Amino acid sequence: MGEIEDGEAGHITTDVQGQKCALVYECTAPESVSGKDNLSFLNAVLKNPVCKLYRFPTSDNKWMQIREQMSESILSFHIPKELISLHIKEDLCRNQEIKELGELSPHWDNLRKNVLTHCDQMVNMYQDILTELSKETGSFKSSSSKGDKTLEFVPINLHLQRMHVHSPHLKDALYDVITVGAPAAHFQGFKNGGLRKLLHRFETERRNTGYQFIYYSPENTAKAKEVLSNINQLQPLIATHADLLLNSASQHSPDSLKNSLKMLSEKTELFVHAFKDQLVRSALLALYTARPGGILKKPPSPKSSAEESHPQDQPPPMRRQDSIPHHSDYDEEEWDRVWANVGKSLNCIIAMVDQLIERDGSSEGSGSGDNDGEKDPSLADSITSHPTEDWYEQLHPLILTLKDCMGEVVSRAKQSLTFVLLQELAYSLPQCLMLTLRRDIVFSQALAGLVCGFIIKLHTSLHDPEFLQQLHTVGLIVQYEGLLSTYSDEIGMLEDMAVGISDLKKVAFKIIEAKSNDVLPVITGRREHYVVEVKLPARMFESLPLQIKEGQLLYVYPVLFNVGINEQQTLAERFGDVSLQENINQENFELLKEYYRVFMEKMPPDYISRFQEQNDLKGLLENLHQNIQAKKRKNVEIMWLAATICRKLNGIRFTCCKSAKDRTSMSVTLEQCSILRDEHQLHKDFFIRALDCMRSRQTRGALSESEDPETGCLTDNKPTSRHFYPVALLLVSSHLLVVWLILSLALLLAKYQ
C-alpha cells in the first residue's frame, strides 16, 4: 500500500491486519521547504541528507505520512574557524596593548613579560589549531574523535533531525530538533570538574590573593573589555565623521554640515559616556602606583598642587584594592579635566557651526533686500569682517583640538584598562589561560549548534509574520534538553555544558543581504559580545520586516534542562549527589519564566489574545515548576514539558547527551511519536509500533515486538517481558556495586594512612 515518490525507493507493503507499521522507502533527496531560494540556501548549509518515509494509521483509521530527514551541517567546522580567527585577532590586539603600557616598576614589568610569554604561546596554539581545521574537508565530527586535540572546537555529531507530517485532517507541520553532543572539553578531561566548578574555584582563589596583585571582580574585568572595545570602535568613527564635517564645510553646504554635525555629536557623546564609570578612575590610580616611583608623565597643574592637602576628596577604592597607596602627588581631577575637554571641544564645534550657518543665512538675506542692513549692527559688522569666509578654515582648528583631546583620553584610558586585564592574567597564569581555552572550546561547540538552529528556524518561518515580529521584538527562546548523568566524568561535562549554554546570552544575530553566492555566516565582536551576521539572498531579504532589514540586533535566550536517564544516573541518585542537576533546572526555569513575562508584555495585544486561546503556557509553566520542585528520580516529564513550552513559543529545540547517539536518538524518536499521538491523532494502538519502526536500524519490513532493542527508561509502556533482562542485570550489578564500594573504601583508607 506504500506509494513511491520520485527517485529511487525500496517499496515495502504495510500489513494493516497484522497491525505493523512499515518503512515505505528511503532516499537521499532533501525535501523542499518553501521555494527555491530557501532550498538553495539550506543546501549551502546542510549536507548529506538521509530521508525515510513512514505511513501510520490515525485514530479514525486513515493514513498519515511522515517524512524523517537527518542532515549534517558544514557549520560544524565553519563556525569554529570563524571563532578561532576572531580569538587570534582579539588576543594579538590585547598583547600589543599590554606591550604599550609604558614603563612599569620592576615587579609589574616582570609580571608583564611573563604574561606576554604565555599569551604568545596561546596565540600560537590557536593558530596551529586553525591551520589543522582548515585542512578538514568533512561536515561533522564523529563521537570517536571527541578526544582529538585538533578538533576540540568542533561540536560532536551536529545534525538536523526533521519530521514532516502530512495528515489527512490537519495542516502539514514541520518539527525540527538539533541533535549534538554536549558541549564539553573532552581532550582537557574532567578530573578536576567542569567549567562551572573551575570558574568558581578560580574566582575564590583570586579574591583571596596576596598583595602583589590587585583584585578586580569578573564584572569589572568584563566592563574593562567592554570599554576598550567601545574605544576601538568609536575613535575611528568619530575621526571619520569629523572629516566628513570638514568636507561639508569645504563644500559650503549647510544641510550637509548639519547632518555631519549630528552624527559627530552622537558618536562623541557615546565616547564621553563610556568613561563615566568609576572603574576608569580606579584603574588610573592603580596604574599610577605601578609606575617607577609613582610619578606621572605630566607634572601636576597648579590647581592640583593647591589641592594636594585634601586627600579626602579622593573616590573610594574598589573592592580588594586597599593595597593601592593613595599618593598625595596624584592628581585625580586631572583625568576629569582631560575627559571633559572632549565634550568642551565638541561644544565649540557645535557653536561654530551654528554661527557659520547663521552668518550664511544673514548674508543671503542682506543680498536679497535693501532693508536687511537695518538689522543688528554687531551681526552686520561680523558679516562685513568676513565677506568671503572659508568654513573649512574656521572649523579645521576646532576639529584638530577635538582629535587631540580624544587622543589623550584614549591613550590614558587604554593603558589603565589594559592594566586591569593584566591583573586577571597575572594571577595564576597557566590556570587562567587554560580556563580561557576551555571556555572558548565549549563555547565554540555551543555556538556552532546555535547558529545552525537559528538559520534553519529562520528559513522555516520566513513567511510567518508573527514569528518575525516576535524575533525582533522579544527574541527567540533556545531550549536545550540534556540527558547527561550526574556521575563520574559526565558531571564535568554537565558543568561545561551549563557554562557554554549560558555564554550564548552574549550572542546577537544580524541579518544582512548576501552580495554574492557565499551565504555562510560571519562572526564579529569579542569574547564578551559576539554578533553573527546571517546572509540572505536578495528576494528573501526583501520580505523581512523593516526593523530587521535596518540591522536591528536579534537576541536569543538559552535555557538548559537536564535529566539523567541512564544506569549511571541510577547510581548517582542512590549513592551520589544530584544537586548540580537540580540547581541547573531551577536556575533555567527562572530564565524561562522571565522570557515568558517579557513575551507577554511586548507582543501586541491582538496576538497575545489569539496566542492564549491556543496555548495554555501558564499552566505548562506551573506544571514544569512543580516537577522541578518534586525532585523525582529520572523525571522525564521535565523534558517533555520544557520541549512543549519551547515549541509553543516558536523556539529552537536541542537534544544533547554525551555523544548525541543512543540516548539522544531514544529521546528524539519518543518525542516524535508523542507529537504524532498528541497533535496528529496517531492511533493509540500503534504508538509502540511506530516507535519501534523509527528506532529500527533495519531498512526493510516492520519489527515484531521481540525484535525491538532495549530503549531504556524513556519508554515506559513496553511489554513487561522486555524488562526481564535489565532487571536480572540490575540484580547482579547491585552485588558487584557493593564489592566495588568496599574495595574503593579500602583503597582510600590505605592511601590516607
Side-chain angles (χ1 to χ4, degrees):
M1 295 181 63
E3 298 178 358
I4 305 302
E5 298 183 1
D6 294 337
E8 296 181 2
H11 185 280
I12 302 169
T13 59
T14 305
D15 185 356
V16 182
Q17 294 180 351
Q19 292 190 337
K20 293 180 179 180
C21 303
L23 171 67
V24 179
Y25 78 96
E26 287 186 284
C27 70
T28 57
E31 61 178 332
S32 63
V33 183
S34 57
K36 294 182 179 179
D37 285 341
N38 262 346
L39 186 59
S40 62
F41 179 89
L42 289 182
N43 284 340
V45 176
L46 301 176
K47 297 293 182 182
N48 303 327
V50 176
C51 307
K52 291 185 179 181
L53 183 68
Y54 306 95
R55 298 184 70 191
F56 299 141
T58 61
S59 56
D60 57 356
N61 293 323
K62 294 187 178 180
W63 291 99
M64 70 171 76
Q65 182 172 285
I66 295 89
R67 180 182 182 121
E68 272 192 314
Q69 177 178 326
M70 181 181 73
S71 302
E72 302 166 7
S73 175
I74 61 173
L75 299 180
S76 294
F77 284 85
H78 174 74
I79 296 300
K81 287 188 285 189
E82 284 277 315
L83 207 53
I84 294 172
S85 299
L86 206 61
H87 293 332
I88 293 173
K89 181 180 178 181
E90 179 184 352
D91 291 347
L92 287 174
C93 180
R94 179 202 59 200
N95 294 353
Q96 185 62 32
E97 290 170 349
I98 292 177
K99 292 176 183 177
E100 296 173 355
L101 268 177
E103 189 178 2
L104 299 176
S105 63
H107 167 71
W108 290 109
D109 193 48
N110 290 333
L111 285 175
R112 173 171 59 178
K113 292 177 181 177
N114 193 24
V115 165
L116 287 173
T117 300
H118 284 83
C119 289
D120 288 339
Q121 292 174 357
M122 184 67 70
V123 170
N124 291 334
M125 183 176 66
Y126 276 55
Q127 291 172 335
D128 292 341
I129 293 174
L130 181 60
T131 301
E132 292 300 320
L133 282 181
S134 301
K135 299 176 183 177
E136 297 290 337
T137 57
S139 56
F140 88 106
K141 169 185 168 183
S142 64
S143 59
S144 60
S145 302
K146 60 175 172 282
D148 191 337
K149 179 176 175 57
T150 60
L151 300 179
E152 280 185 296
F153 287 80
V154 181
I156 302 171
N157 278 336
L158 176 61
H159 287 88
L160 164 67
Q161 306 282 348
R162 166 167 289 181
M163 181 175 70
H164 186 181
V165 183
H166 175 73
S167 59
H169 303 297
L170 302 176
K171 185 179 179 181
D172 287 10
L174 280 177
Y175 300 94
D176 290 340
V177 178
I178 307 298
T179 59
V180 63
H186 292 276
F187 180 80
Q188 308 290 325
F190 308 98
K191 181 179 179 181
N192 298 315
L195 276 172
R196 189 177 171 109
K197 180 187 292 183
L198 293 173
L199 289 172
H200 176 73
R201 184 187 304 162
F202 178 73
E203 281 306 317
T204 302
E205 293 174 355
R206 274 190 61 207
R207 195 176 293 114
N208 300 323
T209 187
Y211 71 92
Q212 67 269 38
F213 302 104
I214 304 169
Y215 174 76
Y216 290 95
S217 67
E219 293 77 17
N220 282 326
T221 303
K223 181 67 177 177
K225 294 177 181 178
E226 179 184 353
V227 175
L228 282 171
S229 176
N230 291 337
I231 291 173
N232 293 330
Q233 291 177 4
L234 290 173
Q235 185 182 15
L237 283 176
I238 292 173
T240 300
H241 288 303
D243 293 338
L244 290 174
L245 183 69
L246 289 177
N247 186 47
S248 300
S250 64
Q251 296 175 0
H252 211 279
S253 171
D255 292 337
S256 177
L257 197 66
K258 289 180 181 179
N259 293 332
S260 300
L261 179 62
K262 180 182 177 182
M263 297 300 298
L264 177 64
S265 300
E266 290 176 355
K267 299 302 180 184
T268 306
E269 287 172 4
L270 290 174
F271 178 84
V272 173
H273 182 74
F275 300 104
K276 287 185 177 180
D277 198 281
Q278 177 66 24
L279 174 64
V280 181
R281 293 174 176 271
S282 179
L284 283 166
L285 176 58
L287 179 59
Y288 169 75
T289 64
R291 300 291 187 194
I295 300 174
L296 288 171
K297 288 184 177 180
K298 291 186 178 182
S301 64
K303 182 176 180 180
S304 66
S305 300
E307 295 173 353
E308 283 179 1
S309 59
H310 299 281
Q312 66 271 17
D313 296 334
Q314 295 174 351
M318 294 174 55
R319 184 181 182 186
R320 290 287 305 168
Q321 289 187 7
D322 50 337
S323 60
I324 304 175
H326 288 216
H327 291 259
S328 60
D329 60 346
Y330 175 68
D331 181 13
E332 292 189 33
E333 292 190 358
E334 184 180 2
W335 165 249
D336 291 335
R337 291 191 294 273
V338 172
W339 171 56
N341 283 341
V342 177
K344 292 178 181 178
S345 300
L346 176 65
N347 291 335
C348 291
I349 293 173
I350 294 173
M352 177 57 70
V353 170
D354 291 341
Q355 187 178 10
L356 292 174
I357 293 176
E358 183 180 358
R359 287 174 181 173
D360 185 69
S362 300
S363 62
E364 288 179 359
S366 63
S368 61
D370 297 331
N371 296 331
D372 292 341
E374 300 177 2
K375 292 185 178 181
D376 187 359
S378 62
L379 182 60
D381 292 341
S382 65
I383 297 170
T384 304
S385 62
H386 301 281
T388 57
E389 186 173 43
D390 189 345
W391 287 8
Y392 181 90
E393 294 297 333
Q394 294 290 319
L395 286 173
H396 186 256
L398 300 179
I399 293 296
L400 289 180
T401 302
L402 174 65
K403 290 183 177 180
D404 290 342
C405 293
M406 187 172 61
E408 180 69 16
V409 170
V410 167
S411 176
R412 296 191 181 208
K414 264 191 174 182
Q415 288 187 348
S416 62
L417 294 174
T418 301
F419 189 70
V420 174
L421 302 185
L422 180 62
Q423 311 306 311
E424 181 188 38
L425 295 168
Y427 171 75
S428 187
L429 247 184
Q431 182 185 6
C432 176
L433 292 179
M434 290 309 294
L435 275 177
T436 301
L437 172 63
R438 189 183 191 102
R439 199 165 189 171
D440 288 346
I441 289 169
V442 174
F443 179 77
S444 174
Q445 297 178 24
L447 182 62
L450 174 64
V451 176
C452 178
F454 182 89
I455 290 176
I456 291 170
K457 183 67 178 179
L458 175 64
H459 285 76
T460 303
S461 307
L462 194 62
H463 301 289
D464 183 353
E466 293 178 345
F467 167 80
L468 295 175
Q469 184 178 18
Q470 176 185 348
L471 180 61
H472 71 77
T473 304
V474 185
L476 281 186
I477 195 75
V478 182
Q479 185 253 328
Y480 287 81
E481 175 184 299
L483 304 172
L484 294 172
S485 67
T486 53
Y487 184 83
S488 188
D489 283 353
E490 291 197 9
I491 297 178
M493 296 178 201
L494 182 56
E495 290 174 342
D496 276 356
M497 182 181 180
V499 174
I501 291 174
S502 178
D503 284 347
L504 293 176
K505 290 183 287 189
K506 305 171 185 176
V507 179
F509 288 85
K510 183 179 179 180
I511 301 177
I512 61 176
E513 183 179 353
K515 301 300 182 182
S516 64
N517 293 330
D518 181 13
V519 293
L520 292 177
V522 177
I523 304 176
T524 60
R526 53 186 172 80
R527 279 186 176 89
E528 301 299 325
H529 179 67
Y530 298 93
V531 176
V532 181
E533 296 181 351
V534 178
K535 303 175 185 178
L536 285 184
R539 289 175 58 188
M540 298 168 62
F541 184 78
E542 289 302 320
S543 65
L544 295 173
L546 181 62
Q547 296 91 332
I548 298 179
K549 288 194 290 186
E550 289 179 345
Q552 178 179 327
L553 295 181
L554 312 172
Y555 294 94
V556 293
Y557 298 85
V559 293
L560 165 65
F561 293 95
N562 187 84
V563 178
I565 60 171
N566 62 357
E567 65 280 1
Q568 289 187 333
Q569 185 64 21
T570 303
L571 298 177
E573 290 174 344
R574 291 185 179 180
F575 307 105
D577 182 14
V578 295
S579 59
L580 173 64
Q581 174 177 286
E582 294 171 354
N583 292 337
I584 289 174
N585 290 344
Q586 183 59 45
E587 292 167 8
N588 285 271
F589 172 77
E590 297 300 328
L591 296 175
L592 179 60
K593 189 168 67 172
E594 176 63 17
Y595 176 84
Y596 173 72
R597 183 190 66 78
V598 175
F599 177 86
M600 299 301 288
E601 285 181 359
K602 291 189 175 182
M603 292 300 288
D606 57 338
Y607 176 77
I608 291 296
S609 60
R610 296 196 309 271
F611 186 83
Q612 288 177 326
E613 290 176 2
Q614 300 171 1
N615 303 289
D616 183 22
L617 276 177
K618 188 175 181 180
L620 289 172
L621 282 168
E622 292 175 355
N623 196 0
L624 176 60
H625 184 246
Q626 291 172 2
N627 276 275
I628 291 174
Q629 294 294 320
K631 298 181 180 179
K632 177 183 174 183
R633 292 181 178 179
K634 295 186 179 181
N635 191 357
V636 294
E637 190 70 15
I638 293 175
M639 297 189 299
W640 174 244
L641 288 169
T644 303
I645 293 171
C646 175
R647 285 195 301 271
K648 291 183 181 296
L649 285 172
N650 296 319
I652 306 172
R653 283 269 299 113
F654 284 81
T655 298
C656 311
C657 67
K658 180 178 179 179
S659 302
K661 294 190 300 184
D662 299 337
R663 280 172 279 180
T664 297
S665 62
M666 296 296 108
S667 176
V668 170
T669 50
L670 177 61
E671 180 182 352
Q672 290 179 166
C673 288
S674 298
I675 291 172
L676 295 178
R677 177 192 61 196
D678 299 337
E679 305 291 339
H680 297 277
Q681 303 176 7
L682 174 67
H683 198 291
K684 61 180 182 179
D685 294 337
F686 283 81
F687 181 85
I688 293 297
R689 294 170 179 82
L691 195 62
D692 291 345
C693 192
M694 286 186 173
R695 289 177 176 177
S696 173
R697 294 185 179 181
Q698 299 183 20
T699 58
R700 298 188 61 84
L703 288 177
S704 65
E705 293 180 359
S706 60
E707 292 172 323
D708 181 42
E710 182 61 27
T711 58
C713 62
L714 275 176
T715 306
D716 55 1
N717 53 351
K718 293 183 293 185
T720 307
S721 60
R722 298 188 185 180
H723 292 287
F724 175 76
Y725 175 71
V727 170
L729 180 61
L730 183 60
L731 291 173
V732 176
S733 62
S734 62
H735 290 81
L736 295 176
L737 177 63
V738 173
V739 174
W740 175 78
L741 288 173
I742 294 173
L743 292 175
S744 299
L745 182 60
L747 288 173
L748 285 173
L749 291 174
K751 179 179 179 181
Y752 287 102
Q753 286 177 354

